[in-house]
Amino acid sequence: YGRLFAQWLHHAFPHECPYPHAAGLTKPANVFEFEGTSAAALAEESAMKSAAARRARRDAPRHSVPWSTEEELFSEPVAQRSRPLGMLFVHASATLVALSVVLVGLARSTLRRLLGGPAGGKKPAAAAAAARRAAA
């Protein structure tokens, strides 16, 4: 979204959305720089009293709304995300382990079928009954 949309959001929700100043027009001060200024430098007492005494008409149109039609599109630079070498090793190891488990399972089932053993490692019911009779 751009600066004009952010301006509209500020006017629609003034307490939730800050005013989007154009880039380079403001000079933000940190706490340490701001503590060095005095209240007299910020505003004169007479100006503050006159502003407090003035009452704006509620039905008067707002001509002093700060609106500018200069558009700026906000975008963050796209950074190339490179994975650390350790994470690459972990991913490669996990893939190798998973692949080897699948291949060992496939090889075991193939060998059982080729050698004539039962599939799945279970004895058929007839072979199990014959083994019980022989044992008794």
Side-chain angles (χ1 to χ4, degrees):
Y1 298 105
R3 187 174 165 278
L4 290 177
F5 181 66
Q7 271 186 329
W8 178 84
L9 282 175
H10 169 70
H11 290 293
F13 308 103
H15 298 291
E16 291 86 3
C17 303
Y19 182 76
H21 295 282
L25 294 182
T26 60
K27 183 178 181 270
N30 63 21
V31 175
F32 301 111
E33 293 172 355
F34 187 74
E35 284 179 352
T37 61
S38 65
L42 297 176
E44 294 181 16
E45 188 175 341
S46 61
M48 290 176 20
K49 285 183 181 178
S50 66
R54 253 185 310 178
R55 290 187 188 169
R57 287 187 359 219
R58 293 188 187 271
D59 59 345
R62 291 189 175 185
H63 294 289
S64 64
V65 174
W67 191 271
S68 67
T69 57
E70 297 175 22
E71 175 69 319
E72 291 181 45
L73 297 177
F74 303 120
S75 66
E76 296 180 16
V78 178
Q80 294 289 336
R81 290 180 48 193
S82 62
R83 291 185 180 171
L85 188 59
M87 288 303 292
L88 183 63
F89 177 73
V90 168
H91 285 272
S93 299
T95 304
L96 186 62
V97 167
L99 185 62
S100 63
V101 166
V102 168
L103 289 177
V104 166
L106 184 63
R108 286 182 68 189
S109 66
T110 304
L111 283 176
R112 282 190 184 137
R113 288 181 192 232
L114 288 177
L115 297 176
K122 296 180 182 175
K123 295 181 179 180
R132 273 183 271 173
R133 277 184 251 144

